[in-house]
Amino acid sequence: MQSLKNLPELFTTSPSSRQIISYALKTNRVRWLARGLYTKDIDTPLKDYVRRHLWEIVSKLYSEPVLDGRTALQNGPANDGCIFLVTSTGRDTVLPGLTIHVRRGHAPLSDDTRTRKGVYIPSPTRALIENMVPSRASSRRVARTYNQDELEAYLEAYLERYGEDGLSRLRGQVSAVGQQLGMTQEAEKLDQLIGALLGANNVLPEVARRTDKGETRIDADRVVLFEKLFTALHEFIPSDRPVSAINPAKNELSAFYEAYFSNFIEGIKFDVEEARDIIFTNKIPEGRLEDAKGLFGTWQVVSGAAHMSSPPTSFDAFIRQLRTDHASVMQGHSGKNPGVFKAKANMAGDYVFVSPEKVTGTLEEGFAMLDELKGGFRRGVFAMFLISEVHPFDDGNGRMARIAMNREMSADNQSRAIIPPVFRDTYFAGLRSMSRVGNTAALIRMLDFAQLWTSEVLWQDWAETRSILEACNAFLEPEEANEHYLRLERPR
């Protein structure tokens, strides 16, 4: 017979565990959630617990569940707590605060994305085709599928984000996916709807954007990117670049340049000596108080050897650490809401990051993958891209991403990866290539070189290290380096 302590926090019954579960229920050591599903968490309010562990619950109750209807397009529960799934077995389930409605339908397609929890997110094409089936709301629940106005609003937002080329590519997939699903009539209707949108100069009538705001929504496109990077990193064999036992002087020097360069490439520029005075003597250049506090806050985080060697082991701890570090880094910019996730969408150029209502859910999906990766370099690269791609804060996201990366590397006793100014464009190019076309090789190769370079610099003496950095062209800005055909060189 199984022991209760050997069962995970969230578990289903089995013949060998029924007796121990029955006794644990009587002694208030477990709680019942749904048929055959229990949790050892006896303190968290059940509605909160279900919301937090929603997709894990779904995967334990159903085999190969695919998000369906409006759930597939908004990646979370409707306002009334309804979730819609396509499954091959099982029936509706009522949970505290949520109700799961299931129907029989097509199994996952090759373009559908399987999350780490085992739930499938249908491709946008499949989700839209399946939402072309009309449905009605009832006194018990919201309508399973989007209505015409909601579909138009979704497509308008898709067009705004991905442009005409992106929407045209989606349209090109409609016929084939419709045939796979056996829904050719619905596919034809979707094709006509997209055609009308593209043919009207991207202008739709104003519609009521009545899409529901589910609390656990995720950005499915980003999850696809994370899955791709997870697979590439899992297969990548990183070089072993261990660091020697921590030397206070060496740590002080490398942490200084890590903070200095991380701020510099974000446009917060000081001379090296100015930066040293800010950090070590609290001498603030006139008119630069906010920037000086940001530099000092970054240094406070990255110079803490114990803090930087202890990555979070749970998602809640991950969020707490992210907020705490951000509050330190952005301590001089109260207008940027230090430690608070963004309330408005943010973007770089024409590239839009994860929308505010999807930040927490998308971070949780990414953290589940991070938790499965082994090795400081693999975990560091993934953590950096996760935070960079979600962009959870109004400002300071790049610095937060690099802090998370180097924390993972330090925890594995591996060299960190410092990004000097001359390497800025290469660094951002690697990120853009991964974000826009899923080029995992470019991102991994770029950060592998950054770690190699960092590991070869002698972080021992201020004057000697500065000479090494100058010889490596580290202080040059990309424009100046390109003008003279220079690049970041390895230390000789």
Side-chain angles (χ1 to χ4, degrees):
M1 184 174 66
Q2 279 186 307
S3 169
L4 184 63
K5 69 179 181 180
N6 293 329
L7 294 173
E9 179 184 299
L10 182 67
F11 60 91
T12 54
T13 56
S14 66
S16 63
S17 66
R18 284 174 185 162
Q19 185 176 344
I20 190 68
I21 293 172
S22 177
Y23 180 74
L25 279 170
K26 293 177 182 178
T27 55
N28 294 319
R29 296 165 63 199
V30 301
R31 288 189 291 180
W32 180 87
L33 291 174
R35 59 183 184 279
L37 184 65
Y38 302 85
T39 177
K40 292 196 287 187
D41 183 330
I42 60 173
D43 298 317
T44 305
L46 282 177
K47 285 186 178 181
D48 294 340
Y49 186 85
V50 168
R51 288 278 180 167
R52 187 179 304 165
H53 297 274
L54 174 59
W55 303 124
E56 186 177 359
I57 289 171
V58 167
S59 67
K60 287 186 179 294
L61 291 174
Y62 304 99
S63 175
E64 294 195 328
V66 184
L67 303 189
D68 184 40
R70 67 176 55 248
T71 308
L73 291 180
Q74 64 192 48
N75 297 308
N79 281 340
D80 64 353
C82 285
I83 296 170
F84 300 94
L85 301 175
V86 169
T87 66
S88 57
T89 58
R91 58 183 186 270
D92 293 355
T93 300
V94 177
L95 293 159
L98 293 171
T99 302
I100 301 174
H101 299 275
V102 301
R103 70 175 179 88
R104 303 295 174 262
H106 203 287
L109 301 179
S110 59
D111 287 340
D112 297 340
T113 301
R114 185 181 187 275
T115 70
R116 308 310 298 174
K117 303 295 186 184
V119 177
Y120 284 86
I121 302 173
S123 68
T125 311
R126 173 178 179 169
L128 284 164
I129 291 173
E130 291 181 328
N131 267 276
M132 296 302 295
V133 178
S135 65
R136 292 183 178 180
S138 70
S139 58
R140 296 186 302 110
R141 63 173 176 81
V142 69
R144 178 174 64 85
T145 55
Y146 273 8
N147 60 31
Q148 181 77 9
D149 285 348
E150 290 172 317
L151 283 168
E152 290 178 350
Y154 180 91
L155 288 170
E156 188 180 37
Y158 193 97
L159 176 62
E160 181 179 347
R161 178 174 177 183
Y162 297 106
E164 288 191 20
D165 289 344
L167 188 56
S168 295
R169 284 193 296 271
L170 185 149
R171 186 185 187 188
Q173 301 165 0
V174 167
S175 178
V177 174
Q179 291 178 8
Q180 286 181 281
L181 295 171
M183 301 178 68
T184 54
Q185 290 184 349
E186 290 78 9
E188 289 175 2
K189 292 178 182 177
L190 176 59
D191 180 80
Q192 292 171 4
L193 184 60
I194 296 174
L197 175 59
L198 291 172
N201 260 348
N202 303 342
V203 175
L204 277 176
E206 286 297 319
V207 295
R209 296 180 181 270
R210 293 191 292 270
T211 51
D212 297 306
K213 303 294 185 183
E215 293 179 16
T216 55
R217 296 172 71 180
I218 63 175
D219 189 315
D221 293 331
R222 269 37 186 255
V223 172
V224 172
L225 275 180
F226 298 155
E227 291 277 359
K228 188 170 185 178
L229 181 59
F230 173 88
T231 300
L233 286 169
H234 184 71
E235 296 172 351
F236 180 75
I237 307 300
S239 299
D240 185 31
R241 296 171 183 137
V243 294
S244 57
I246 295 174
N247 177 295
K250 180 177 180 180
N251 182 59
E252 177 182 281
L253 184 53
S254 62
F256 166 81
Y257 276 110
E258 181 178 347
Y260 175 67
F261 286 153
S262 192
N263 278 266
F264 198 99
I265 68 172
E266 299 294 344
I268 303 170
K269 303 175 182 180
F270 293 98
D271 292 336
V272 174
E273 294 306 320
E274 279 184 319
R276 286 186 68 180
D277 286 342
I278 290 168
I279 289 174
F280 299 113
T281 66
N282 196 32
K283 182 179 179 182
I284 311 300
E286 185 176 353
R288 302 289 305 276
L289 178 60
E290 289 187 349
D291 289 343
K293 283 186 174 181
L295 172 62
F296 182 77
T298 307
W299 177 81
Q300 279 184 310
V301 175
V302 302
S303 64
H307 179 68
M308 286 295 287
S309 298
S310 304
T313 57
S314 69
F315 178 67
D316 287 344
F318 176 75
I319 293 297
R320 285 196 301 272
Q321 190 167 69
L322 199 56
R323 292 181 186 275
T324 300
D325 288 348
H326 187 261
S328 180
V329 170
M330 301 301 293
Q331 61 185 264
H333 298 268
S334 58
K336 299 295 185 180
N337 301 312
V340 179
F341 284 164
K342 63 190 177 186
K344 296 181 179 180
N346 48 11
M347 57 196 300
D350 62 349
Y351 190 75
V352 182
F353 295 106
V354 173
S355 57
E357 72 274 11
K358 297 182 181 180
V359 163
T360 301
T362 307
L363 284 173
E364 186 168 14
E365 282 292 321
F367 182 81
M369 298 179 217
L370 173 65
D371 204 35
E372 292 188 24
L373 284 170
K374 305 298 181 184
F377 180 82
R378 294 189 187 96
R379 291 174 60 85
V381 172
F382 191 92
M384 189 280 297
F385 184 71
L386 170 63
I387 295 171
S388 176
E389 190 65 20
V390 173
H391 247 59
F393 301 103
D394 290 334
D395 196 6
N397 295 286
R399 281 164 283 178
M400 297 307 304
R402 292 184 288 277
I403 286 171
M405 171 180 68
N406 284 329
R407 176 177 286 115
E408 295 290 348
M409 293 180 180
S410 290
D412 194 35
N413 197 43
Q414 294 293 303
S415 172
R416 300 182 188 183
I418 295 175
I419 312 297
V422 72
F423 202 61
R424 182 192 66 200
D425 286 3
T426 303
Y427 169 75
F428 286 133
L431 278 173
R432 284 194 299 270
S433 183
M434 180 65 214
S435 295
R436 295 173 186 267
V437 298
N439 188 345
T440 60
L443 180 69
I444 295 171
R445 185 170 58 246
M446 176 270 294
L447 290 173
D448 181 58
F449 180 81
Q451 188 198 42
L452 170 64
W453 177 82
T454 306
S455 71
E456 292 182 338
V457 173
L458 296 176
W459 308 99
Q460 294 179 347
D461 175 82
W462 282 93
E464 180 185 18
T465 298
R466 183 164 182 175
S467 294
I468 292 171
L469 296 178
E470 288 173 347
C472 292
N473 304 317
F475 293 106
L476 295 181
E477 295 201 48
E479 298 79 7
E480 183 182 0
N482 292 336
E483 184 179 345
H484 296 91
Y485 303 100
L486 299 174
R487 62 179 183 178
L488 180 64
E489 299 286 353
R490 291 172 61 181
R492 295 180 177 86

